[in-house]
Amino acid sequence: MRSLVYYVAVSLDGRIAGPEGQYDFYPVDEEYSRQMNEEWGDGLPTGLHEALGITPPLTKWDTVVMGRATYALGTDMGVNDPYSHLRTIVYSRSLAAADFPEVEVVAEDPVAHMRALKQEDGSDIWLCGGGKLAATLAPEVDRLALKIYPVTAGDGIPLFAGGFAPQQWKLVSHRAFDIGVILAQYERA
């Protein structure tokens, strides 16, 4: 069975983006970017692969899922399939699938759809965002891969934007980068 992996950047105070969806406050440097691009390049937008002259490794997952607000970050810039190297699924009840033929727009219950998706043949599935979808899909998340940045946001979109629902996780690996980022990976306990 395929696993759902929530791979995302997060601040020390648990925010994946600012109140208006900002994410440019996360510090990066050349060495950190190089290492992450090599190891986690599947999570880069296709346009960035092209700009950097690299090929997506397709070693982590073959499918990406996201909510409408996360998807809008690309469409607002004229990019209707930000991850064309992956099967892209957008959960939305407000988008018309016919208007976005480059991706799969799913209006049905995300949990039921994810359960069926995990039964299909293929590699793992990347939950790219956002916080509301993560809260909805929380029971289906098998692994967390959190890039914990040494910054506090103060406000913004939480990692899981839902109600009180404690879940236990087991740390399976961690790695510290020179710029202070910690990549922590967890499995459901």
Side-chain angles (χ1 to χ4, degrees):
M1 186 164 85
R2 304 165 80 183
S3 292
L4 179 60
V5 181
Y6 189 15
Y7 169 69
V8 68
V10 63
S11 65
L12 292 173
D13 55 350
R15 305 300 176 171
I16 61 172
E20 304 300 319
Q22 313 93 311
Y23 53 88
D24 58 352
F25 58 91
Y26 292 120
V28 295
D29 69 10
E30 188 175 321
E31 181 60 16
Y32 168 73
S33 295
R34 184 191 63 74
Q35 290 175 24
M36 290 303 291
N37 293 349
E38 286 176 5
E39 297 171 32
W40 294 83
D42 295 344
L44 289 174
T46 305
L48 195 51
H49 284 126
E50 294 166 358
L52 295 172
I54 59 177
T55 302
L58 299 177
T59 57
K60 298 289 185 195
W61 41 69
D62 63 6
T63 303
V64 58
V65 299
M66 65 189 78
R68 186 208 45 80
T70 299
Y71 182 59
L73 295 172
T75 59
D76 288 350
M77 295 186 291
V79 179
N80 285 353
D81 189 0
Y83 301 100
S84 62
H85 60 286
L86 303 171
R87 176 182 176 191
T88 303
I89 298 171
V90 179
Y91 291 105
S92 173
R93 289 188 176 91
S94 63
L95 296 178
D99 294 339
F100 301 93
E102 303 89 348
V103 300
E104 296 175 45
V105 177
V106 175
E108 65 188 78
D109 172 45
V111 173
H113 183 267
M114 180 55 63
R115 287 179 180 152
L117 188 63
K118 289 169 79 173
Q119 297 298 320
E120 293 178 4
D121 288 335
S123 298
D124 287 343
I125 303 158
W126 170 33
L127 169 55
C128 139
K132 289 180 185 176
L133 180 60
T136 299
L137 290 176
E140 294 302 314
V141 174
D142 301 292
R143 292 195 317 268
L144 300 172
L146 304 178
K147 298 175 287 183
I148 306 166
Y149 283 81
V151 62
T152 54
D155 192 9
I157 301 168
L159 184 64
F160 289 94
F164 184 71
Q167 296 181 44
Q168 296 291 314
W169 298 90
K170 177 185 173 189
L171 180 67
V172 293
S173 72
H174 64 283
R175 177 178 176 192
F177 294 86
D178 290 344
I179 66 166
V181 175
I182 296 172
L183 175 62
Q185 296 187 67
Y186 299 86
E187 291 180 351
R188 188 174 291 284

